[in-house]
Amino acid sequence: MRIMAIDLGDARTGVAVSDLTGSLAGESFVLAQPDMKKLIAALRAEAEARGVGEIVVGKPLNMNGSEGERAEKSREFAARLAQATGLPVALWDERRTTVDAARILHTAGKHGKKNRDRVDAVAAALILEGYLGAKRGR
């Protein structure tokens, strides 16, 4: 079963999908859709096309672990996505994923404004890797 990870953004949303076994992060891409209803419809279509059986949404916590406005937005989004897809949707701590993604890309020589999409896609892959690692550890 494939697992899809989502790094929700205001203008762009990073998406990563696991391999068929649900154990390795596979492809990642960005959906540039600021409209929430259209974004959910696009994610539902992507999940169906790829045979996704579970979704994980990054939940941006503050560095002290508390929840802020962005975490609440992710929680509401996850609930709407679960209703639209009929799939289980988990929330996953995404602290520092965007910073780590930017660092990874910078180290690889990919930086600047034209790489914003790549940062979102890599951040989604980092969310997926963390989630898959925790599932393997259970």
Side-chain angles (χ1 to χ4, degrees):
M1 163 185 76
R2 291 186 194 273
I3 299 172
M4 176 185 279
I6 299 168
D7 179 37
L8 181 64
D10 291 329
R12 296 174 313 278
T13 296
V15 181
V17 182
S18 76
D19 66 340
L20 280 170
T21 67
S23 57
L24 298 171
E27 68 177 314
S28 61
F29 54 95
V30 170
L31 295 174
Q33 180 51 261
D35 181 270
M36 190 64 69
K37 287 182 182 181
K38 290 178 182 178
L39 175 61
I40 288 173
L43 288 167
R44 183 181 65 230
E46 294 289 349
E48 288 173 2
R50 290 171 167 73
V52 169
E54 182 179 359
I55 299 173
V56 58
V57 174
K59 180 172 71 170
L61 298 174
N62 296 320
M63 291 310 289
N64 67 2
S66 66
E67 291 189 14
E69 185 178 319
R70 298 292 302 177
E72 182 57 33
K73 182 176 180 178
S74 290
R75 184 182 312 286
E76 291 171 11
F77 171 78
R80 290 177 62 186
L81 188 60
Q83 184 177 23
T85 62
L87 297 173
V89 177
L91 290 165
W92 186 255
D93 180 359
E94 69 164 46
R95 277 179 282 186
R96 297 194 48 82
T97 55
T98 300
V99 171
D100 288 344
R103 181 185 42 78
I104 289 166
L105 289 169
H106 185 78
T107 300
K110 310 280 187 201
H111 46 83
K113 289 184 180 181
K114 59 185 174 182
N115 287 301
R116 287 183 192 159
D117 286 357
R118 287 185 183 160
V119 170
D120 295 327
V122 171
L126 292 173
I127 291 167
L128 182 58
E129 286 178 358
Y131 184 74
L132 295 176
K135 283 186 75 147
R136 281 190 300 269
R138 287 185 208 151

